Amino acid sequence: MEYIARDMERKFLHMSSFFKAVLVTGARQVGKTTMLRHLAERDRRTYVTMDNIMARTLAQTDPILFFQTYKPPLLIDEIQKAPELFEQM
């Protein structure tokens, strides 16, 4: 399937050049995850989703080890499922 570029890409890349963390929010099914996966692949960023039970468990039980395991630049999808990560950012 061909990737459809999102208007938000340019804004995300601009903001991520200034800030350590950028939160992407929006309605369901608008392409947030697709955009993040595309940017991770294109820009050689680490992509991890908290839908992955092993990654989520690590994030919840040992946030420090999580950030040692998944190196920056890092895109974390569904981060609301592991709020423990916010204290380590």
Side-chain angles (χ1 to χ4, degrees), residues 10-57:
R10 193 174 70 240
K11 183 88 154 182
F12 173 82
L13 292 170
H14 177 73
M15 298 305 282
S16 68
S17 70
F18 286 99
F19 300 101
K20 285 184 170 183
V22 177
L23 180 65
V24 178
T25 64
R28 295 173 40 91
Q29 304 291 308
V30 296
K32 298 177 301 291
T33 294
T34 302
M35 181 189 78
L36 291 176
R37 290 180 126 174
H38 172 77
L39 292 174
E41 185 178 308
R42 188 190 81 185
D43 297 340
R44 295 188 179 167
R45 297 173 186 237
T46 304
Y47 171 88
V48 62
T49 178
M50 294 298 102
D51 285 336
N52 177 317
I53 190 67
M54 292 180 74
R56 184 170 66 231
T57 300

Side-chain angles (χ1 to χ4, degrees), residues 55-74:
R56 184 170 66 231
T57 300
L58 178 60
Q60 292 170 333
T61 59
D62 195 343
I64 293 172
L65 182 58
F66 175 87
F67 284 115
Q68 290 172 347
T69 302
Y70 299 101
K71 302 287 186 186
L74 176 61

Side-chain angles (χ1 to χ4, degrees), residues 75-89:
L75 299 176
I76 305 171
D77 200 5
E78 301 293 341
I79 195 170
Q80 75 277 5
K81 295 180 180 180
E84 296 82 2
L85 292 177
F86 290 113
E87 293 181 15
Q88 295 303 316
M89 295 178 119

